Amino acid sequence: MLSAVMEDYIKAIYTIESDSGERVSTSTLADELDVTAPTVSSTLKKLEERGLVDREEYKGVTLTEEGELVALEILRHHRLLEAFLTDQLDYDWADVHDEADRLEHHVSEELTDRIAESLGNPPVDPHGDPIPDADLSFPEESETIRLADADKGECVTVRRIRHQGNAELRYLADAGVRPGMELTVVDVAPFGMVTVETATGTQSLPEDIVQLIEVVPLAVADGVES
């Protein structure tokens, strides 16, 4: 049986590697998990002995096939818990990540499946992150772009809010930006800020926030010149 710490490492490796497409360095993991490099090296050695990671000196670490399956199970637990907490217990979407982090290590597969069934087997969590199904396969997704790459005049639908902190989520909630919402790109500033029209009005979003938002372009908005 894996410890909660080991599961945290596996999930972190999967997430970082999925975003970057590259093997994960010890220093990157140390920063992500807020631990020292020697601590990372020690834990990675244990994971390697269990056949869950492949390490190469100076080249970083990647998950083995078995390690990836473990990561997908953890993500399924985590994202279904986030969906359950928001849908059934009225948690704010900015509060569910930390709560799910604590609970994900302690739920059985049977409970996870029952949660999924009670929610109607949702394809995504409250932040738009895809939820692996019972076979640990992801649902089909529309191709997305970052809001930062959208053109002036485009009408887009928000699909996903990438790796986020509570402050960023509360900022976006106040701005009326959530998965499923439609936005019109009013202006794109040269220094990265993007101004959008939402259901609650016009919002100017700073570059660090814009980079978190994945959207699906719909059409050029009427009356707005490119």
Side-chain angles (χ1 to χ4, degrees):
M1 183 175 178
L2 295 177
S3 68
V5 170
M6 288 181 174
E7 290 186 350
D8 284 340
Y9 272 72
I10 290 171
K11 184 175 69 171
I13 293 168
Y14 181 89
T15 301
I16 296 168
E17 190 171 16
S18 296
D19 287 344
S20 69
E22 300 176 352
R23 298 173 73 95
V24 183
S25 69
T26 298
S27 60
T28 299
L29 264 181
D31 289 342
E32 175 69 18
L33 297 169
D34 195 24
V35 295
T36 65
T39 298
V40 171
S41 296
S42 175
T43 304
L44 289 179
K45 182 179 180 181
K46 295 176 184 177
L47 293 174
E48 184 178 33
E49 291 170 351
R50 290 175 177 246
L52 299 173
V53 302
D54 174 67
R55 288 197 301 167
E56 287 188 39
E57 193 171 5
Y58 307 119
K59 292 186 178 180
V61 64
T62 186
L63 295 176
T64 62
E65 184 175 344
E66 183 179 354
E68 186 170 332
L69 288 175
V70 172
L72 291 172
E73 288 179 357
I74 299 167
L75 285 177
R76 175 170 165 80
H77 294 175
H78 182 97
R79 293 174 180 176
L80 280 170
L81 284 166
E82 289 190 335
F84 182 80
L85 290 168
T86 53
D87 290 356
Q88 301 297 314
L89 300 182
D90 295 326
Y91 271 69
D92 188 276
W93 76 331
D95 298 325
V96 293
H97 180 77
D98 290 344
E99 196 69 55
D101 266 346
R102 288 187 284 269
L103 294 171
E104 66 188 23
H105 309 293
H106 309 293
V107 291
S108 66
E109 294 306 314
E110 180 180 358
L111 178 56
T112 301
D113 290 343
R114 290 194 178 193
I115 290 173
E117 185 177 356
S118 73
L119 296 173
N121 294 300
V124 296
D125 71 8
H127 313 114
D129 291 320
I131 301 174
D133 62 20
D135 296 324
L136 302 182
S137 297
F138 282 115
E140 290 188 14
E141 294 184 272
S142 302
E143 187 173 347
T144 62
I145 63 171
R146 298 292 174 115
L147 181 58
D149 298 323
D151 295 325
K152 179 179 177 181
E154 274 195 293
C155 184
V156 301
T157 298
V158 178
R159 280 286 181 266
R160 188 177 190 180
I161 310 297
R162 279 282 185 174
H163 190 64
Q164 64 279 320
N166 295 353
E168 289 88 346
L169 287 176
R170 289 195 173 90
Y171 178 95
L172 288 170
D174 290 342
V177 179
R178 289 176 178 265
M181 299 294 187
E182 292 189 7
L183 312 173
T184 299
V185 179
V186 176
D187 190 35
V188 180
F191 47 86
M193 181 171 284
V194 175
T195 301
V196 297
E197 185 72 30
T198 74
T200 59
T202 301
Q203 301 286 343
S204 292
L205 306 174
E207 183 177 11
D208 58 334
I209 294 290
V210 170
Q211 292 291 344
L212 299 176
I213 305 169
E214 291 188 9
V215 300
V216 177
L218 294 180
V220 175
D222 292 338
V224 181
E225 297 180 0
S226 301

